Amino acid sequence: MTSPAIEIDSLRVVRGGKEVLPGLSIGIQAGRITGLLGPSGCGKTTLMRAIVGVQIVAGGRVTVLGLPAGTRALRSRVGYVTQAPAVYDDLTVGANLRYFAKILGAASERVAAVVETVGLTGYGDKLVSQLSGGQRARVSLATALLNEPEVLVLDEPTVGLDPVLRQELWTTFHELADRGTTLLISSHVMDEAERCDELILMREGLILAHASPADVLLQANASTVEEAFLNLVGTKERAG
Amino acid sequence: MNVRMTVATGVRVLTQLRHDLRTVGLLVLVPVLLEALVKWVYSDQDRVFQRVGVPLLGIFPLTSMFLVTSITMLRERTSGTLERLLTTPIAKFDLLAGYGLAFGTVAILQGIVVSIVSFGFLGLEVEGPIAGVVALAVLNAILGTALGLLVSAFARSEFQAVQFMPAFLLPQFLLSGLLAPREQMAGALEALSNVLPMTYAYDALTRVAAGDGFGGRLALDTAVLAGTTVLSLALGAATLRRRTP
Ligand SMILES: Nc1ncnc2c1ncn2[C@@H]1O[C@H](COP(=O)(O)OP(=O)(O)OP(=O)(O)O)[C@@H](O)[C@H]1O
Ligand SMILES: [Mg+2]
């Protein structure tokens, strides 16, 4: 068992007058892919924002690589891909990546490398505003891969992508994890769960389960993650 | 302050502007057209045109830069790129300074063009050096950029950002001394005008026009304008929140 790269202790977040995370504690293992799954609105993005240090928190502690979340020293060591692509529409793919490379202190050769990783070779001179939604999301993903950070927080990075490209990206994620990168990847596509080393199932700001995919299935006496999720929700509701 | 990141941001913003030449065109042309309009309005009263023409060379660019930067910054916020940038190593001040650099470059173009037209074609005349007027016009445009970046921290939507222009700049315009001498205003208004940047813009340009040497009041005016620019950028960086609700 490796040590946790991200430690969250009694994290409480209130958004728009609503308690989104009522007091969440969890450790995320280093060098592994942890999948964060749960229905829309359950607090996945909120949790990720707290980990990268852009979410106002009402209480609790978030520690990343031994430092408080969002600390200056962490900002080159933690990469974040927002759920909605965060790239400049009025710049080309190449110009976007060259800018982020400068900000992240990545070598300019990395630009061509990440363009290839996300399958956008040949699109370097295209304006982002002329790309499809999925292509735009890939440019956004590419910006976070530039400086090969130790921790990657990816908010639904494979939404709307075709199976072939999704397969390729997951291969990339596994290569990164093999080299020691910690990945936290959210999704509400339950079939992606199998590709993760660890799963966190979330509902309404609470953690239903946190274990390897196989153990989650075992715990919930289920054959698919979707079924596991439904069983766990049922158990909680009977218990509560 | 990190020069590499500031310059990278400046280049990035300029590259975005290059894809939006219409905005650049408007930024450069609008002050020219307004100045020509003032000339036309006072076509029978050249004395008035000579009196207001020079201060307006600074005030028009200040206003247009204020608007365009506050909107651009707001766009950065609403598009999510600001949140993304705030998770990277770039310091907030460097980000704002990068904006200042980019729009400052546009400001130089704007200041030069409006001065060439005003002095070359509209018959505006000054006792002092024309280069001094151009420099002050550019300084005012950069001040407008810095003020725009500062107030954009308080705007949540484009509608609010646009409202900041009349709310924030029009009172300054009314009290700057251009419409009525400040000495003749009620004491409270005169005192208020003493702490408004545009007062110093008006005063500086009037003094250059009158041929005052660079020293005394003019040097003070320039220092206030430059100081307010840096202060606005620093305040803008301080009010820009890394963490949001
Ligand atoms: N900017 C905001 N202001 C106020 N409340 C918000 C804001 N963003 C999200 N919320 C609320 O916080 C809760 C959690 O939202 P969050 O974005 O974390 O969900 P999510 O699990 O990422 O959902 P999805 O799968 O749809 O992306 C939701 O109930 C939502 O209404
Ligand atoms: Mg989300």
mmCIF file of all heavy atoms in Angstrom, chain B residues 24-58:
data_model
loop_
_atom_site.group_PDB
_atom_site.id
_atom_site.type_symbol
_atom_site.label_atom_id
_atom_site.label_comp_id
_atom_site.label_asym_id
_atom_site.label_seq_id
_atom_site.Cartn_x
_atom_site.Cartn_y
_atom_site.Cartn_z
ATOM 1 N N VAL B 24 -9.483 46.104 -32.358
ATOM 2 C CA VAL B 24 -8.294 46.958 -32.397
ATOM 3 C C VAL B 24 -8.605 48.209 -33.216
ATOM 4 O O VAL B 24 -8.269 49.332 -32.822
ATOM 5 C CB VAL B 24 -7.092 46.197 -32.995
ATOM 6 C CG1 VAL B 24 -5.865 47.095 -33.056
ATOM 7 C CG2 VAL B 24 -6.796 44.951 -32.177
ATOM 8 N N GLY B 25 -9.280 48.012 -34.343
ATOM 9 C CA GLY B 25 -9.653 49.137 -35.189
ATOM 10 C C GLY B 25 -10.505 50.140 -34.434
ATOM 11 O O GLY B 25 -10.274 51.346 -34.479
ATOM 12 N N LEU B 26 -11.481 49.622 -33.689
ATOM 13 C CA LEU B 26 -12.352 50.512 -32.915
ATOM 14 C C LEU B 26 -11.554 51.258 -31.854
ATOM 15 O O LEU B 26 -11.734 52.460 -31.656
ATOM 16 C CB LEU B 26 -13.474 49.700 -32.248
ATOM 17 C CG LEU B 26 -14.597 49.259 -33.180
ATOM 18 C CD1 LEU B 26 -15.524 48.287 -32.470
ATOM 19 C CD2 LEU B 26 -15.383 50.463 -33.673
ATOM 20 N N LEU B 27 -10.647 50.521 -31.183
ATOM 21 C CA LEU B 27 -9.852 51.149 -30.125
ATOM 22 C C LEU B 27 -9.040 52.311 -30.672
ATOM 23 O O LEU B 27 -8.887 53.343 -30.019
ATOM 24 C CB LEU B 27 -8.899 50.116 -29.500
ATOM 25 C CG LEU B 27 -9.501 49.218 -28.432
ATOM 26 C CD1 LEU B 27 -8.507 48.152 -28.012
ATOM 27 C CD2 LEU B 27 -9.911 50.043 -27.226
ATOM 28 N N VAL B 28 -8.502 52.126 -31.860
ATOM 29 C CA VAL B 28 -7.634 53.159 -32.432
ATOM 30 C C VAL B 28 -8.471 54.276 -33.064
ATOM 31 O O VAL B 28 -8.144 55.457 -32.943
ATOM 32 C CB VAL B 28 -6.671 52.536 -33.459
ATOM 33 C CG1 VAL B 28 -5.890 53.603 -34.190
ATOM 34 C CG2 VAL B 28 -5.707 51.577 -32.757
ATOM 35 N N LEU B 29 -9.584 53.904 -33.701
ATOM 36 C CA LEU B 29 -10.350 54.898 -34.451
ATOM 37 C C LEU B 29 -11.299 55.743 -33.604
ATOM 38 O O LEU B 29 -11.484 56.929 -33.870
ATOM 39 C CB LEU B 29 -11.160 54.205 -35.554
ATOM 40 C CG LEU B 29 -10.375 53.903 -36.822
ATOM 41 C CD1 LEU B 29 -11.298 53.301 -37.870
ATOM 42 C CD2 LEU B 29 -9.729 55.182 -37.376
ATOM 43 N N VAL B 30 -11.900 55.145 -32.575
ATOM 44 C CA VAL B 30 -12.923 55.874 -31.819
ATOM 45 C C VAL B 30 -12.388 57.178 -31.214
ATOM 46 O O VAL B 30 -13.018 58.231 -31.382
ATOM 47 C CB VAL B 30 -13.588 54.954 -30.766
ATOM 48 C CG1 VAL B 30 -14.418 55.766 -29.778
ATOM 49 C CG2 VAL B 30 -14.480 53.939 -31.469
ATOM 50 N N PRO B 31 -11.227 57.175 -30.550
ATOM 51 C CA PRO B 31 -10.727 58.455 -30.034
ATOM 52 C C PRO B 31 -10.503 59.485 -31.144
ATOM 53 O O PRO B 31 -10.773 60.673 -30.954
ATOM 54 C CB PRO B 31 -9.401 58.083 -29.366
ATOM 55 C CG PRO B 31 -9.518 56.639 -29.067
ATOM 56 C CD PRO B 31 -10.348 56.062 -30.169
ATOM 57 N N VAL B 32 -10.048 59.008 -32.305
ATOM 58 C CA VAL B 32 -9.814 59.918 -33.430
ATOM 59 C C VAL B 32 -11.131 60.556 -33.871
ATOM 60 O O VAL B 32 -11.233 61.770 -34.044
ATOM 61 C CB VAL B 32 -9.168 59.147 -34.608
ATOM 62 C CG1 VAL B 32 -9.109 60.021 -35.853
ATOM 63 C CG2 VAL B 32 -7.781 58.649 -34.234
ATOM 64 N N LEU B 33 -12.160 59.724 -34.014
ATOM 65 C CA LEU B 33 -13.453 60.233 -34.454
ATOM 66 C C LEU B 33 -14.047 61.190 -33.429
ATOM 67 O O LEU B 33 -14.624 62.217 -33.785
ATOM 68 C CB LEU B 33 -14.409 59.067 -34.725
ATOM 69 C CG LEU B 33 -13.995 58.169 -35.899
ATOM 70 C CD1 LEU B 33 -14.944 56.980 -36.043
ATOM 71 C CD2 LEU B 33 -13.961 58.977 -37.201
ATOM 72 N N LEU B 34 -13.892 60.854 -32.148
ATOM 73 C CA LEU B 34 -14.427 61.727 -31.105
ATOM 74 C C LEU B 34 -13.719 63.082 -31.120
ATOM 75 O O LEU B 34 -14.340 64.135 -31.001
ATOM 76 C CB LEU B 34 -14.281 61.064 -29.734
ATOM 77 C CG LEU B 34 -15.236 59.895 -29.458
ATOM 78 C CD1 LEU B 34 -14.921 59.245 -28.125
ATOM 79 C CD2 LEU B 34 -16.680 60.385 -29.474
ATOM 80 N N GLU B 35 -12.415 63.022 -31.295
ATOM 81 C CA GLU B 35 -11.631 64.255 -31.332
ATOM 82 C C GLU B 35 -12.078 65.109 -32.529
ATOM 83 O O GLU B 35 -12.234 66.327 -32.414
ATOM 84 C CB GLU B 35 -10.141 63.900 -31.431
ATOM 85 C CG GLU B 35 -9.176 65.000 -31.064
ATOM 86 C CD GLU B 35 -9.113 65.343 -29.573
ATOM 87 O OE1 GLU B 35 -9.457 64.493 -28.737
ATOM 88 O OE2 GLU B 35 -8.731 66.483 -29.256
ATOM 89 N N ALA B 36 -12.306 64.442 -33.657
ATOM 90 C CA ALA B 36 -12.778 65.178 -34.845
ATOM 91 C C ALA B 36 -14.157 65.767 -34.592
ATOM 92 O O ALA B 36 -14.463 66.886 -35.022
ATOM 93 C CB ALA B 36 -12.811 64.230 -36.045
ATOM 94 N N LEU B 37 -14.980 65.016 -33.855
ATOM 95 C CA LEU B 37 -16.325 65.501 -33.538
ATOM 96 C C LEU B 37 -16.254 66.759 -32.667
ATOM 97 O O LEU B 37 -16.992 67.731 -32.886
ATOM 98 C CB LEU B 37 -17.101 64.399 -32.823
ATOM 99 C CG LEU B 37 -18.584 64.662 -32.552
ATOM 100 C CD1 LEU B 37 -19.350 64.855 -33.843
ATOM 101 C CD2 LEU B 37 -19.197 63.501 -31.757
ATOM 102 N N VAL B 38 -15.339 66.728 -31.700
ATOM 103 C CA VAL B 38 -15.169 67.902 -30.829
ATOM 104 C C VAL B 38 -14.748 69.110 -31.660
ATOM 105 O O VAL B 38 -15.264 70.219 -31.497
ATOM 106 C CB VAL B 38 -14.121 67.616 -29.724
ATOM 107 C CG1 VAL B 38 -13.837 68.881 -28.909
ATOM 108 C CG2 VAL B 38 -14.613 66.505 -28.804
ATOM 109 N N LYS B 39 -13.849 68.872 -32.593
ATOM 110 C CA LYS B 39 -13.385 69.940 -33.488
ATOM 111 C C LYS B 39 -14.582 70.542 -34.251
ATOM 112 O O LYS B 39 -14.731 71.755 -34.372
ATOM 113 C CB LYS B 39 -12.361 69.348 -34.462
ATOM 114 C CG LYS B 39 -12.073 70.179 -35.692
ATOM 115 C CD LYS B 39 -11.043 71.235 -35.388
ATOM 116 C CE LYS B 39 -10.750 72.079 -36.630
ATOM 117 N NZ LYS B 39 -9.867 73.190 -36.312
ATOM 118 N N TRP B 40 -15.429 69.644 -34.720
ATOM 119 C CA TRP B 40 -16.577 70.057 -35.524
ATOM 120 C C TRP B 40 -17.575 70.845 -34.666
ATOM 121 O O TRP B 40 -18.082 71.895 -35.053
ATOM 122 C CB TRP B 40 -17.228 68.800 -36.127
ATOM 123 C CG TRP B 40 -18.148 69.077 -37.268
ATOM 124 C CD1 TRP B 40 -18.287 70.252 -37.947
ATOM 125 C CD2 TRP B 40 -19.068 68.158 -37.860
ATOM 126 N NE1 TRP B 40 -19.226 70.121 -38.931
ATOM 127 C CE2 TRP B 40 -19.724 68.840 -38.900
ATOM 128 C CE3 TRP B 40 -19.380 66.806 -37.619
ATOM 129 C CZ2 TRP B 40 -20.687 68.219 -39.686
ATOM 130 C CZ3 TRP B 40 -20.335 66.194 -38.403
ATOM 131 C CH2 TRP B 40 -20.988 66.902 -39.439
ATOM 132 N N VAL B 41 -17.836 70.304 -33.454
ATOM 133 C CA VAL B 41 -18.779 70.955 -32.532
ATOM 134 C C VAL B 41 -18.338 72.392 -32.248
ATOM 135 O O VAL B 41 -19.147 73.312 -32.219
ATOM 136 C CB VAL B 41 -18.872 70.148 -31.217
ATOM 137 C CG1 VAL B 41 -19.593 70.958 -30.128
ATOM 138 C CG2 VAL B 41 -19.598 68.825 -31.451
ATOM 139 N N TYR B 42 -17.045 72.570 -32.066
ATOM 140 C CA TYR B 42 -16.526 73.910 -31.742
ATOM 141 C C TYR B 42 -15.903 74.582 -32.969
ATOM 142 O O TYR B 42 -14.935 75.330 -32.829
ATOM 143 C CB TYR B 42 -15.506 73.818 -30.606
ATOM 144 C CG TYR B 42 -16.127 73.370 -29.294
ATOM 145 C CD1 TYR B 42 -15.774 72.153 -28.718
ATOM 146 C CD2 TYR B 42 -17.069 74.169 -28.649
ATOM 147 C CE1 TYR B 42 -16.349 71.735 -27.527
ATOM 148 C CE2 TYR B 42 -17.654 73.756 -27.455
ATOM 149 C CZ TYR B 42 -17.288 72.535 -26.906
ATOM 150 O OH TYR B 42 -17.861 72.120 -25.732
ATOM 151 N N SER B 43 -16.459 74.304 -34.145
ATOM 152 C CA SER B 43 -15.817 74.836 -35.352
ATOM 153 C C SER B 43 -15.790 76.368 -35.368
ATOM 154 O O SER B 43 -14.908 76.969 -35.974
ATOM 155 C CB SER B 43 -16.499 74.288 -36.598
ATOM 156 O OG SER B 43 -17.893 74.452 -36.486
ATOM 157 N N ASP B 44 -16.738 77.002 -34.666
ATOM 158 C CA ASP B 44 -16.729 78.473 -34.621
ATOM 159 C C ASP B 44 -16.009 79.010 -33.397
ATOM 160 O O ASP B 44 -15.884 80.215 -33.224
ATOM 161 C CB ASP B 44 -18.175 79.010 -34.585
ATOM 162 C CG ASP B 44 -18.897 78.696 -35.873
ATOM 163 O OD1 ASP B 44 -18.213 78.508 -36.902
ATOM 164 O OD2 ASP B 44 -20.137 78.588 -35.844
ATOM 165 N N GLN B 45 -15.620 78.118 -32.492
ATOM 166 C CA GLN B 45 -14.964 78.579 -31.260
ATOM 167 C C GLN B 45 -13.636 77.841 -31.115
ATOM 168 O O GLN B 45 -13.520 76.947 -30.274
ATOM 169 C CB GLN B 45 -15.846 78.252 -30.045
ATOM 170 C CG GLN B 45 -17.160 78.994 -30.032
ATOM 171 C CD GLN B 45 -18.102 78.355 -29.006
ATOM 172 O OE1 GLN B 45 -18.847 77.440 -29.314
ATOM 173 N NE2 GLN B 45 -18.025 78.835 -27.768
ATOM 174 N N ASP B 46 -12.671 78.174 -31.920
ATOM 175 C CA ASP B 46 -11.402 77.438 -31.902
ATOM 176 C C ASP B 46 -10.747 77.475 -30.528
ATOM 177 O O ASP B 46 -10.070 76.540 -30.130
ATOM 178 C CB ASP B 46 -10.442 77.992 -32.956
ATOM 179 C CG ASP B 46 -9.241 77.068 -33.123
ATOM 180 O OD1 ASP B 46 -9.453 75.863 -33.395
ATOM 181 O OD2 ASP B 46 -8.094 77.532 -32.918
ATOM 182 N N ARG B 47 -10.982 78.582 -29.781
ATOM 183 C CA ARG B 47 -10.371 78.729 -28.458
ATOM 184 C C ARG B 47 -10.814 77.572 -27.540
ATOM 185 O O ARG B 47 -10.019 76.999 -26.808
ATOM 186 C CB ARG B 47 -10.785 80.064 -27.849
ATOM 187 C CG ARG B 47 -9.739 80.721 -26.968
ATOM 188 C CD ARG B 47 -10.222 82.097 -26.523
ATOM 189 N NE ARG B 47 -11.652 82.100 -26.187
ATOM 190 C CZ ARG B 47 -12.137 81.667 -25.011
ATOM 191 N NH1 ARG B 47 -11.319 81.233 -24.084
ATOM 192 N NH2 ARG B 47 -13.449 81.672 -24.790
ATOM 193 N N VAL B 48 -12.119 77.238 -27.630
ATOM 194 C CA VAL B 48 -12.638 76.140 -26.795
ATOM 195 C C VAL B 48 -12.026 74.819 -27.250
ATOM 196 O O VAL B 48 -11.579 74.008 -26.428
ATOM 197 C CB VAL B 48 -14.179 76.070 -26.868
ATOM 198 C CG1 VAL B 48 -14.699 74.946 -25.982
ATOM 199 C CG2 VAL B 48 -14.783 77.402 -26.467
ATOM 200 N N PHE B 49 -11.989 74.610 -28.577
ATOM 201 C CA PHE B 49 -11.385 73.355 -29.074
ATOM 202 C C PHE B 49 -9.952 73.228 -28.574
ATOM 203 O O PHE B 49 -9.537 72.163 -28.127
ATOM 204 C CB PHE B 49 -11.421 73.318 -30.604
ATOM 205 C CG PHE B 49 -10.681 72.132 -31.175
ATOM 206 C CD1 PHE B 49 -11.110 70.833 -30.912
ATOM 207 C CD2 PHE B 49 -9.544 72.308 -31.959
ATOM 208 C CE1 PHE B 49 -10.433 69.736 -31.414
ATOM 209 C CE2 PHE B 49 -8.855 71.214 -32.469
ATOM 210 C CZ PHE B 49 -9.294 69.928 -32.198
ATOM 211 N N GLN B 50 -9.206 74.342 -28.623
ATOM 212 C CA GLN B 50 -7.819 74.285 -28.170
ATOM 213 C C GLN B 50 -7.741 73.960 -26.671
ATOM 214 O O GLN B 50 -6.829 73.278 -26.217
ATOM 215 C CB GLN B 50 -7.095 75.616 -28.445
ATOM 216 C CG GLN B 50 -6.934 75.952 -29.925
ATOM 217 C CD GLN B 50 -6.097 74.934 -30.696
ATOM 218 O OE1 GLN B 50 -5.344 74.159 -30.117
ATOM 219 N NE2 GLN B 50 -6.241 74.912 -32.015
ATOM 220 N N ARG B 51 -8.729 74.455 -25.896
ATOM 221 C CA ARG B 51 -8.683 74.234 -24.453
ATOM 222 C C ARG B 51 -9.035 72.788 -24.088
ATOM 223 O O ARG B 51 -8.379 72.171 -23.251
ATOM 224 C CB ARG B 51 -9.642 75.182 -23.719
ATOM 225 C CG ARG B 51 -9.465 75.171 -22.199
ATOM 226 C CD ARG B 51 -10.427 76.108 -21.505
ATOM 227 N NE ARG B 51 -11.795 75.610 -21.479
ATOM 228 C CZ ARG B 51 -12.224 74.635 -20.660
ATOM 229 N NH1 ARG B 51 -11.384 74.081 -19.809
ATOM 230 N NH2 ARG B 51 -13.468 74.232 -20.704
ATOM 231 N N VAL B 52 -10.097 72.237 -24.725
ATOM 232 C CA VAL B 52 -10.527 70.883 -24.337
ATOM 233 C C VAL B 52 -9.876 69.787 -25.179
ATOM 234 O O VAL B 52 -9.804 68.640 -24.753
ATOM 235 C CB VAL B 52 -12.069 70.724 -24.392
ATOM 236 C CG1 VAL B 52 -12.753 71.738 -23.488
ATOM 237 C CG2 VAL B 52 -12.571 70.834 -25.830
ATOM 238 N N GLY B 53 -9.391 70.154 -26.352
ATOM 239 C CA GLY B 53 -8.867 69.145 -27.277
ATOM 240 C C GLY B 53 -7.724 68.335 -26.696
ATOM 241 O O GLY B 53 -7.682 67.113 -26.843
ATOM 242 N N VAL B 54 -6.810 69.010 -26.024
ATOM 243 C CA VAL B 54 -5.633 68.297 -25.510
ATOM 244 C C VAL B 54 -5.977 67.354 -24.346
ATOM 245 O O VAL B 54 -5.601 66.173 -24.389
ATOM 246 C CB VAL B 54 -4.514 69.305 -25.138
ATOM 247 C CG1 VAL B 54 -3.321 68.575 -24.547
ATOM 248 C CG2 VAL B 54 -4.090 70.094 -26.371
ATOM 249 N N PRO B 55 -6.709 67.825 -23.313
ATOM 250 C CA PRO B 55 -7.060 66.885 -22.241
ATOM 251 C C PRO B 55 -7.840 65.680 -22.756
ATOM 252 O O PRO B 55 -7.638 64.557 -22.288
ATOM 253 C CB PRO B 55 -7.935 67.713 -21.296
ATOM 254 C CG PRO B 55 -7.570 69.123 -21.572
ATOM 255 C CD PRO B 55 -7.147 69.200 -22.998
ATOM 256 N N LEU B 56 -8.695 65.914 -23.757
ATOM 257 C CA LEU B 56 -9.485 64.795 -24.274
ATOM 258 C C LEU B 56 -8.598 63.741 -24.948
ATOM 259 O O LEU B 56 -8.963 62.572 -25.009
ATOM 260 C CB LEU B 56 -10.567 65.301 -25.243
ATOM 261 C CG LEU B 56 -11.724 66.040 -24.561
ATOM 262 C CD1 LEU B 56 -12.708 66.565 -25.601
ATOM 263 C CD2 LEU B 56 -12.458 65.130 -23.570
ATOM 264 N N LEU B 57 -7.422 64.173 -25.431
ATOM 265 C CA LEU B 57 -6.479 63.208 -26.028
ATOM 266 C C LEU B 57 -6.084 62.145 -25.010
ATOM 267 O O LEU B 57 -5.662 61.043 -25.371
ATOM 268 C CB LEU B 57 -5.210 63.923 -26.506
ATOM 269 C CG LEU B 57 -5.291 64.668 -27.822
ATOM 270 C CD1 LEU B 57 -3.918 65.204 -28.179
ATOM 271 C CD2 LEU B 57 -5.780 63.728 -28.907
ATOM 272 N N GLY B 58 -6.163 62.486 -23.732
ATOM 273 C CA GLY B 58 -5.865 61.499 -22.691
ATOM 274 C C GLY B 58 -7.120 60.811 -22.185
ATOM 275 O O GLY B 58 -7.116 59.618 -21.883
#
